[in-house]
Amino acid sequence: MKTLAQLSRQLPDPSALQELADQLEKKYTVQDAPQQPTILTFYDSFDWRLYSENLLCFQQNNRLYLTDLVGRERVPSLPISGERLGFFQLLPNSALKRKLAPVLEMRILLLQSSFSQTTRQLRILNKDKKTVATILLTELIPENNEPLCSVQLHEVRGYEKWFQRLERDLEKFGTPQPCTREQDLKTALATKGRTPLDYSSKFSVTLKPDMDALTATKTIYRDLLAIMRKNEQGILDDLDSEFLHDFRVAIRRTRSGLDMIKNVLEPKISTRFKEEFRFLGKITGPMRDLDVYLLMEDDYKVRLPDHLQKGLSYFFTDLVKQWKDEQQKLAQALQSSRYRTIIKDWEKYLDHKETVPRKKKQGKAQQSVTIGTMANSIIQKRFERVLRDGQAIDSNSPDESLHRLRIQGKKLRYCLEFFSSLYSKNEVKLLIKQLKLLQNNLGLFNDLSVQQDMLNNYLAGLEPGSSKVKKMGAAIGGLLTNLYHEQQHVRTEFEAAFNQFSSQENVALYRSLFAAEQKTDK
């Protein structure tokens, strides 16, 4: 069946609403319905996971809707109270909850925009008093209290010519805009200088091959610092675990940059901030470790038979207590004078424009090196290191060798991401995809190793005697066995993962891409 037509036009001010209604009433028979005031509140995760999946979640008239960007319901709406939403787990069992689960995962639903909206419906009638078109006059009051007005025209099936006639009448009013629920969100966000997808943890910096290395490097660090700053409040407010995750990834990327991009920053700056970011990694580590374990609770439980799961509950109760202590310590650390000084000094340095060429300052030629040339050298070096270390690993190699390869792989990943804008998008995307397969294997192997170490240490610290401790011991013992067997299985998959990474095609792509770019840059 043909989709009914509709259109929307943005009007200049509230007076245009009445002017338009008056003109319609002069030309047509209009039935005017009472105005309908409502509050429309849009929710999404901090990193816009729903919008990224072409979904909109909003509350209107005490119902929660999940629609596509046009506004068509993807699942039945849900009655809810007027309180703000939180984690999807708190919603009643429903199709809407099941739809949200795999998209949001551990992220909380945050209020992205809320506004009041008054809608006046005009029905256009023919001589038989039948409705031949519907017009909605809407006044939207966003948080800045500056009203935004629009008119929508909706076709009624069987009366296409009436729609076309009214469409021509409306042409002199306002400017066309999409007639979608997404447009409501965009309009409201624009009043605050925001747009959908205005935060992403993905690294995205545009560099040019002929940029001097210092300018390019500062650009990279500024982007990472911005990610840290955007996540600070979410950590302090304890909204969800991913604020700290993104914060720590930005720290790790900065540390890797300071380690890999050598002789660009002044030596005293590089030395100081390597130490400062090492400190930031250290103070955020315990809390993140506990976040990860707590997120694993359901996964751990399904690994055990029912009669052992009670003991694991005691274990997680204890972890929650530890987590609260660490959360308090971290909040204090992020509000400390040392943290504020680190961030302030780093930001000041990155924003400072060099007035004296560093070539003269240091007596070195690094200032004249372009980021294009430097990126080729760094990536080639990191790639050859991963290749060499991986080829040296066999079935008898100690676990530590895989751990070291994991770290080298992470550095290669970071430098590919730092410099991706200098190369063919599709080719870098392919290289990262191949690298991720290897990283997934190494990462899972390492995670299982770390988890076993933690559980063994926890087990060793239990004081025997009580029935509760016996149940915890049995549960953790069972879990250790399960994790060990999984780790052994993951270990057997390493060879295939590495063979794929080190395939002739992949090696050739690395060497040709970066060698070719290097020649061009010279």
Side-chain angles (χ1 to χ4, degrees):
M1 184 178 293
K2 180 186 172 186
T3 303
L4 294 175
Q6 53 186 12
L7 64 82
S8 176
R9 300 183 75 86
Q10 184 175 5
L11 302 176
D13 54 59
S15 65
L17 290 172
Q18 189 56 49
E19 180 188 349
L20 193 155
D22 291 343
Q23 293 211 16
L24 288 172
E25 286 173 355
K26 287 179 183 175
K27 190 171 183 179
Y28 301 98
T29 302
V30 177
Q31 189 170 70
D32 196 350
Q35 292 189 352
Q36 296 293 326
T38 185
I39 302 290
L40 196 59
T41 303
F42 283 93
Y43 292 92
D44 208 322
S45 63
F46 186 64
D47 53 1
W48 293 96
R49 293 188 178 195
L50 297 176
Y51 188 85
S52 298
E53 295 292 322
N54 297 320
L55 293 172
L56 293 175
C57 181
F58 58 90
Q59 182 178 354
Q60 185 175 23
N61 298 330
N62 293 327
R63 295 194 73 83
L64 187 66
Y65 295 84
L66 188 65
T67 73
D68 61 15
L69 298 184
V70 173
R72 296 174 294 226
E73 288 190 39
R74 299 292 298 272
V75 290
S77 62
L78 198 63
I80 56 170
S81 68
E83 296 179 0
R84 285 190 180 184
L85 301 181
F87 291 101
F88 76 87
Q89 291 91 338
L90 300 176
L91 294 172
N93 286 331
S94 58
L96 192 149
K97 180 179 179 179
R98 290 190 289 276
K99 187 76 177 175
L100 289 177
V103 183
L104 291 173
E105 297 179 300
M106 69 293 287
R107 296 233 69 158
I108 193 171
L109 279 169
L110 292 176
L111 187 155
Q112 296 288 358
S113 181
S114 184
F115 51 86
S116 63
Q117 180 176 289
T118 302
T119 302
R120 178 181 173 189
Q121 185 188 67
L122 304 178
R123 290 195 296 131
I124 308 299
L125 308 180
N126 64 10
K127 63 182 180 181
D128 297 326
K129 305 298 181 186
K130 290 184 177 177
T131 301
V132 294
T134 303
I135 291 176
L136 301 178
L137 303 177
T138 301
E139 185 175 22
L140 184 153
I141 310 292
E143 293 172 31
N144 65 1
N145 288 323
E146 294 182 8
L148 299 166
C149 303
S150 64
V151 55
Q152 288 186 8
L153 171 62
H154 295 264
E155 179 187 357
V156 172
R157 195 169 301 284
Y159 298 98
E160 184 179 354
K161 289 185 178 178
W162 281 84
F163 179 89
Q164 294 168 351
R165 182 179 171 190
L166 283 155
E167 182 180 18
R168 289 192 293 273
D169 291 335
L170 294 180
E171 282 179 354
K172 60 183 177 183
F173 291 95
T175 54
Q177 65 178 7
C179 187
T180 62
R181 189 58 84 185
E182 178 191 22
Q183 185 60 42
D184 292 338
L185 173 64
K186 285 183 173 179
T187 300
L189 286 175
T191 63
K192 298 188 289 184
R194 295 187 57 198
T195 59
L197 302 174
D198 56 5
Y199 172 78
S200 171
S201 62
K202 291 181 180 176
F203 186 80
S204 177
V205 161
T206 301
L207 306 176
K208 295 185 181 301
D210 59 352
M211 285 176 77
D212 71 85
L214 180 59
T215 301
T217 304
K218 282 190 170 184
T219 302
I220 292 170
Y221 293 143
R222 269 197 295 270
D223 187 80
L224 295 171
L225 179 60
I227 290 176
M228 290 176 62
R229 299 302 299 266
K230 287 176 182 175
N231 282 284
E232 281 175 0
Q233 197 58 48
I235 299 170
L236 293 173
D237 292 342
D238 182 26
L239 294 177
D240 66 43
S241 60
E242 298 313 282
F243 288 94
L244 179 57
H245 171 265
D246 290 359
F247 186 83
R248 276 180 54 79
V249 170
I251 291 173
R252 280 205 305 269
R253 283 174 167 154
T254 302
R255 292 180 67 188
S256 287
L258 290 167
D259 184 48
M260 293 188 296
I261 310 173
K262 300 180 187 298
N263 300 322
V264 174
L265 305 190
E266 293 173 39
K268 66 177 182 181
I269 293 292
S270 182
T271 301
R272 177 190 168 189
F273 284 101
K274 278 182 181 177
E275 179 58 29
E276 301 286 30
F277 277 89
R278 189 191 70 79
F279 165 75
L280 295 181
K282 185 178 179 183
I283 63 171
T284 53
M287 173 85 172
R288 177 57 192 168
D289 289 345
L290 288 165
D291 276 341
V292 171
Y293 293 131
L294 292 173
L295 290 170
M296 295 289 292
E297 182 172 0
D298 290 340
D299 175 74
Y300 278 0
K301 285 184 175 176
V302 298
R303 291 169 183 266
L304 297 177
D306 291 346
H307 70 280
L308 289 180
Q309 291 186 8
K310 181 66 176 175
L312 210 54
S313 297
Y314 294 138
F315 166 69
F316 276 103
T317 300
D318 191 32
L319 285 192
V320 169
K321 290 178 184 173
Q322 293 180 37
W323 181 90
K324 288 178 179 175
D325 290 340
E326 290 298 335
Q327 204 279 335
Q328 197 170 14
K329 289 179 189 174
L330 179 57
Q332 290 171 350
L334 294 184
Q335 296 175 89
S336 67
S337 59
R338 178 171 182 182
Y339 175 75
R340 288 196 297 269
T341 300
I342 293 171
I343 297 301
K344 179 183 170 187
D345 290 355
W346 185 231
E347 190 170 41
K348 184 178 178 182
Y349 172 73
L350 297 179
D351 289 341
H352 176 68
K353 293 183 179 178
E354 299 281 331
T355 54
V356 179
R358 290 190 61 253
K359 182 178 178 181
K360 292 181 181 178
K361 281 185 177 181
Q362 294 187 354
K364 294 183 179 179
Q366 288 295 339
Q367 178 69 16
S368 61
V369 175
T370 65
I371 197 62
T373 299
M374 183 169 277
N376 285 327
S377 172
I378 293 171
I379 295 173
Q380 281 183 321
K381 181 179 176 183
R382 287 294 150 197
F383 170 67
E384 297 297 342
R385 175 68 185 272
V386 173
L387 202 58
R388 186 172 65 248
D389 288 3
Q391 287 169 340
I393 293 175
D394 61 26
S395 57
N396 296 316
S397 298
D399 292 354
E400 289 72 21
S401 59
L402 279 85
H403 174 61
R404 287 193 292 272
L405 182 63
R406 182 184 68 86
I407 293 173
Q408 293 303 327
K410 191 169 282 189
K411 288 183 176 180
L412 174 59
R413 169 80 172 273
Y414 288 160
C415 64
L416 284 171
E417 291 173 343
F418 287 164
F419 307 127
S420 63
S421 60
L422 301 174
Y423 306 98
S424 157
K425 183 179 179 181
N426 289 337
E427 288 176 317
V428 172
K429 189 175 178 182
L430 178 62
L431 293 178
I432 291 177
K433 182 180 176 183
Q434 293 284 5
L435 178 58
K436 279 173 72 175
L437 294 174
L438 177 62
Q439 282 190 287
N440 289 343
N441 174 267
L442 294 169
L444 181 56
F445 183 82
N446 182 68
D447 289 348
L448 291 164
S449 177
V450 170
Q451 289 167 33
Q452 289 176 75
D453 288 345
M454 187 278 288
L455 290 168
N456 272 317
N457 290 333
Y458 188 88
L459 201 57
L462 292 177
E463 294 184 6
S466 70
S467 133
K468 175 179 170 182
V469 168
K470 287 178 182 174
K471 289 179 180 176
M472 286 174 69
I476 292 173
L479 187 57
L480 278 166
T481 302
N482 183 286
L483 294 175
Y484 171 79
H485 286 302
E486 182 177 351
Q487 188 188 23
Q488 296 309 303
H489 176 69
V490 173
R491 180 72 170 80
T492 64
E493 295 177 331
F494 166 75
E495 186 176 352
F498 185 76
N499 285 343
Q500 194 165 355
F501 171 78
S502 59
S503 66
Q504 283 188 348
E505 295 80 6
N506 207 37
V507 171
L509 182 55
Y510 266 100
R511 290 176 176 163
S512 66
L513 176 62
F514 302 117
E517 292 290 336
Q518 194 169 29
K519 288 173 186 174
T520 300
D521 194 55
K522 286 178 179 176

